Structures are given as C-alpha cells and as structure tokens.
Amino acid sequence: MAHLELTQEEPDCADDGVWLQCIECGETLAPFDEVHYTCDACDGLLEVRYADLPTWDDFSGRGVWRYSAALPFAEGVSLPEGDTQLHDVPRLEEEVGVSRLRVKHEGMNPTGSFKDRGMTVGVRTAKELGVGKLACASTGNTSAALAAYGGRGGMETLVLLPQGKVAAGKVAQASLHGARILEVDGNFDTCLDIVQDLAHRGVVYLLNSLNPFRLEGQKTIGLEIMEQFRDEEGEYPDRIILPVGNAGNTAALYKCFRELEASGAITGDDIPALTGVQAAGSAPMVEAIQEGREETRRWESVETKATAIRIGNPVNAPKALPGIRQTGGTAVAVEDDEIMDAQRSLAEEGVGVEPASAASIAGLRKLRRQGVIDDSEQVVCLTTGHLLKDPDAAVEAGRDPEAVPGTTEGVLDYLGE
Ligand code: F0G
C-alpha cells in the first residue's frame, strides 16, 4: 500500500488551525477572509487543511457532526444528516461471491442523498463568509440538498438544472424547499460552467463540489464506513465501490483516508481500494484510468438513464484520479441495463436506491466477472440516492401494475384463487 502524502505545516494565513491549500502548487490561503474556489496563483483545486488531525477517540455524538474534530467547525446548519445504515445484503453477497458485502445507503439522509453531508458544512461555511445567495449546478440531488439546507439557514438559493434531464423527485424537492430553478438548455457541464462564471462575478456563492468545504462534509462517509465496518466485522473493508459523476465523493473519501493515516488512526494497509463506477455513456474517469492519464478528457455528449451521473467533465478528477490509483483501486464502466438489474436486485433485498446508486453494485458484478475482485474481498458498495428520487426509473425497472375489477370476486378470479 502506497503511503499517502499530506503536508501539514501550518501557514501564517491559517485561521484557528484551518487553511486552504492548492493541490497543484501548494499555495496556502486564509479560509474565511474572502471567497476562494480555486487557487489564486494557478487555478488548481483547493483542499481544506488542518494543523491537528484527530484520531478515533476525538469523535463523539452522532451523524456528520460526530466528526467535528475532522471538520472546520464544531457544528453546522443541520437537519441532521449522516448516521446511515450499513446494510447486509446476503443474497447479493452470495450471488456476487465475495467474503463480505455491505451496502452503505446514503439515500437515507434527510433529502435522500449523500449531498446533505456536504451541504451541512457548505452552508455553515457560507454563513462564516457572510454570503447570502447560494447556487449550484446539478443533476438533481445537489439542488435538493442546497434548497433544503439553504432554506434551513434562511438563505436564498438558485439552482441550474439541465433541461429535461433531472429526475422528478429531485425537481420537486428543489422547488418545494424554495429554490429558484433555472432549466438550462444544455447538459450538467454547461450548467456548471455558467454557475462558476456567476460565482466568479460575485453574483452567488458556489456550492458545487468544486467548493472544498463541501467535500469536508462528504469525508464523513468514509469515517462512518470505517467505524461501522470495524465495529461489526472487527476489521476495515478491503474495498469501497462508488458511483462517480463529478468525482467529488471519490476525492472526499481519498482525503478521509489520507487524514486517518496521517493522524495514526489507521495504517496504510488499512486503506480500502477506491473503486469508481461510471455509466458507459458518460465515463471520462474510466477512460483516464484506463489510459493512465492525469486528467480527464471532456465528453461533450453524454447519455445514461442514471441521470445523476450524466456528467462529461468531472471537475474533481485531479483530486480523485490519484485517490483511485494510490489506494490500489480501479474504475469501470457499466451499461444502463446492468445498472437497472442491480437496482432491481438491491430493491428485492429491501434496499431502494436510484439508478446512479446501483452502478456500484453493477460495477462490483462486472469486476468479479473480470476477476479484478477476488472472492476473499470484504467490499462496501455506496448507494448514493434513494429510490423515490427517480420514480419514473423505478417504475420502468419494476413490475407493471395489473388492472383488476373493483370487487373481491373479480380480484379472486383474476388471481386464479
Ligand atoms: N450518485 C448520485 C445519486 C449523485 O447524485 C451523484 C452526483 C453521484 C452519485 C456522483 O457523485 O459527483 O461526487 O462523483 N450528483 C451531483 C448532483 C452531480 O448535482 O446532484 P460525485
């Protein structure tokens, strides 16, 4: 297992032991004096860095804020979030043929996706910075979380969605939680280009995963998985498989493991192999891993029924690609029908997830078939969003309702009883 680097010299600009650091040139920035999304010097991605990294004994309480010792604040704008189930799925485990398979169901967060973990920290940061108008581009879940947490925080929210490509449940959430919704004639990547321009012009505060504070909240998925798995199984998982869109979660998990290793909470050997799954119709990360490139190529045209991960230009790739490589993981693309099959299999074991989430299970099946994952592995698959987020996809993947007469006799007759 490669040692994961983490520079830890505290610069003068740090605020209470917290600062921003560029992952490309190492430039350090004060975290809360003014708004930064990328490096002033080279436009590289920024990470939140800490003078003190906590270990297991420093965590107490529940949910995301259990891990406040690993976050920039002691508390946030909370609904509350985190503390999601790590499900057993014995039938899938048996079918796939691994030593242990657990499903971390992030669809059980307050707005039904892992984005809530990022937003509780992101909206808290917005308050620290004194900004009032929050915005994001979204394939749906981020917009739902932003609307809910922004609303909770008493702030205005604006969301840019790719027209006609966002699942009904997500639009409904963003709308009812009070966001102003702009439906953009373009895909998610176009929406993100525009909202980044708006943010740079100072019109809005950007809460996409380009915002390094959001990823701090999402880091807690990794902390929870490690603690839950260790408490239940007596050791850490060998591998974490997750759906990838903008690669924010992949970057957040990688950072989580680097910090745990640097604090001495785990050793390099304990770090799970980060394994990303994309839909075949939008797989720039898989392409970059397969071709050994440091950056992704922007896919102008993307298509998949897993609309949450219908993304052609993963902005967090420079953080996430090293994470996949240095943890000994990989990335794999799956077809939409494999995603739908996986969604059905999970649902049959009582775990209801949206299509993008099921990509993790579809990826596991494929990597087992290819022999990349062997039968001795202990695997955690991340399911990122709830089934009800995308009711149309669920109806399409599930059984058709059957029309019957409105009498008991008629129903018995129809059932052949
Ligand atoms: N799964 C779901 C359900 C998502 O909504 C997303 C991203 C991902 C996986 C991918 O996560 O971007 O961290 O690699 N959704 C964003 C949104 C883009 O706007 O809701 P990632």
Side-chain angles (χ1 to χ4, degrees):
M1 175 72 246
H3 181 80
L4 306 178
E5 292 292 328
L6 195 74
T7 318
Q8 240 191 291
E9 269 163 53
E10 183 176 355
D12 291 342
C13 65
D15 181 339
D16 228 356
V18 179
W19 69 96
L20 291 170
Q21 190 155 329
C22 174
I23 66 159
E24 304 292 346
C25 73
E27 173 83 334
T28 53
L29 297 163
F32 309 122
D33 286 2
E34 48 185 306
V35 174
H36 302 282
Y37 304 109
T38 54
C39 177
D40 288 350
C42 76
D43 205 33
L45 296 178
L46 298 175
E47 266 184 351
V48 181
R49 293 284 176 95
Y50 304 90
D52 298 311
L53 292 173
T55 185
W56 299 120
D57 296 341
D58 298 312
F59 303 137
S60 64
R62 305 193 67 135
V64 163
W65 295 99
R66 166 178 175 73
Y67 302 105
S68 59
L71 299 173
F73 309 104
E75 53 190 24
V77 176
S78 179
L79 285 171
E81 49 293 308
D83 225 348
T84 56
Q85 292 88 338
L86 189 64
H87 290 293
D88 267 327
V89 280
R91 297 204 294 268
L92 257 172
E93 181 183 276
E94 165 89 25
E95 177 235 304
V96 173
V98 283
S99 130
R100 175 71 67 211
L101 175 59
R102 309 299 296 269
V103 172
K104 178 72 169 163
H105 193 11
E106 285 296 297
M108 300 309 289
N109 276 295
T111 77
S113 87
F114 69 93
K115 305 288 180 180
D116 297 344
R117 293 182 187 263
M119 281 306 165
T120 185
V121 178
V123 173
R124 172 69 182 81
T125 308
K127 286 202 171 288
E128 191 76 16
L129 287 161
V131 295
K133 198 172 196 176
L134 315 179
C136 70
S138 184
T139 56
N141 283 323
T142 304
S143 71
L146 178 70
Y149 282 80
R152 184 80 179 183
M155 292 149 120
E156 247 183 279
T157 53
L158 176 72
V159 304
L160 279 72
L161 307 181
Q163 207 166 60
K165 296 292 182 184
V166 177
K170 305 173 189 181
V171 181
Q173 287 179 292
S175 162
L176 193 59
H177 285 304
R180 188 162 176 198
I181 303 174
L182 306 184
E183 291 197 317
V184 176
D185 179 14
N187 59 27
F188 168 83
D189 305 297
T190 312
C191 296
L192 188 56
D193 289 345
I194 296 172
V195 82
Q196 268 183 261
D197 285 342
L198 298 181
H200 283 128
R201 289 174 200 206
V203 180
V204 294
Y205 181 64
L206 182 74
L207 273 170
N208 278 98
S209 55
L210 195 64
N211 184 318
F213 291 101
R214 241 199 59 195
L215 296 187
E216 290 306 289
Q218 289 172 215
K219 210 170 68 174
T220 63
I221 300 173
L223 292 163
E224 253 177 48
I225 289 177
M226 296 297 265
E227 280 199 311
Q228 285 175 314
F229 200 94
R230 181 198 61 202
D231 291 351
E232 291 171 24
E233 309 296 337
E235 49 197 338
Y236 297 110
D238 299 311
R239 187 181 296 270
I240 295 177
I241 307 183
L242 74 163
V244 175
N246 247 337
N249 248 353
T250 318
L253 287 173
Y254 177 46
K255 186 164 190 280
C256 165
F257 301 138
R258 285 158 69 210
E259 292 182 351
L260 285 176
E261 190 195 4
S263 76
I266 60 171
T267 69
D269 290 339
D270 294 325
I271 295 177
L274 280 175
T275 301
V277 187
Q278 293 196 295
S282 57
M285 286 283 291
V286 177
E287 182 185 68
I289 289 288
Q290 284 172 352
E291 295 178 3
R293 279 192 277 108
E294 303 279 303
E295 281 177 11
T296 47
R297 185 175 63 83
R298 183 174 177 136
W299 289 27
E300 292 301 338
S301 165
V302 281
E303 208 45 84
T304 170
K305 285 182 181 165
T307 52
I309 51 172
R310 187 176 168 275
I311 292 174
N313 185 35
V315 288
N316 290 297
K319 288 179 173 176
L321 288 169
I324 291 173
R325 292 198 174 105
Q326 292 190 34
T327 60
T330 187
V332 65
V334 292
E335 300 297 332
D336 279 1
D337 56 357
E338 297 176 291
I339 291 176
M340 294 303 182
D341 278 350
Q343 188 191 20
R344 220 175 283 117
S345 302
L346 278 168
E348 283 166 3
E349 286 207 73
V351 183
V353 308
E354 68 164 289
S357 301
S360 57
I361 294 287
L364 168 64
R365 277 180 170 152
K366 187 161 181 181
L367 292 169
R368 273 295 289 137
R369 278 200 307 276
Q370 294 175 342
V372 175
I373 295 178
D374 71 38
D375 60 5
S376 68
E377 279 201 29
Q378 309 206 76
V379 178
V380 173
C381 280
L382 200 63
T383 56
T384 40
H386 197 275
L387 178 152
L388 291 173
K389 287 282 193 171
D390 192 344
D392 298 325
V395 167
E396 195 188 325
R399 283 192 188 191
D400 289 335
E402 301 161 59
V404 293
T407 63
T408 306
E409 283 310 312
V411 170
L412 284 171
D413 226 27
Y414 181 83
L415 293 174
E417 294 289 334

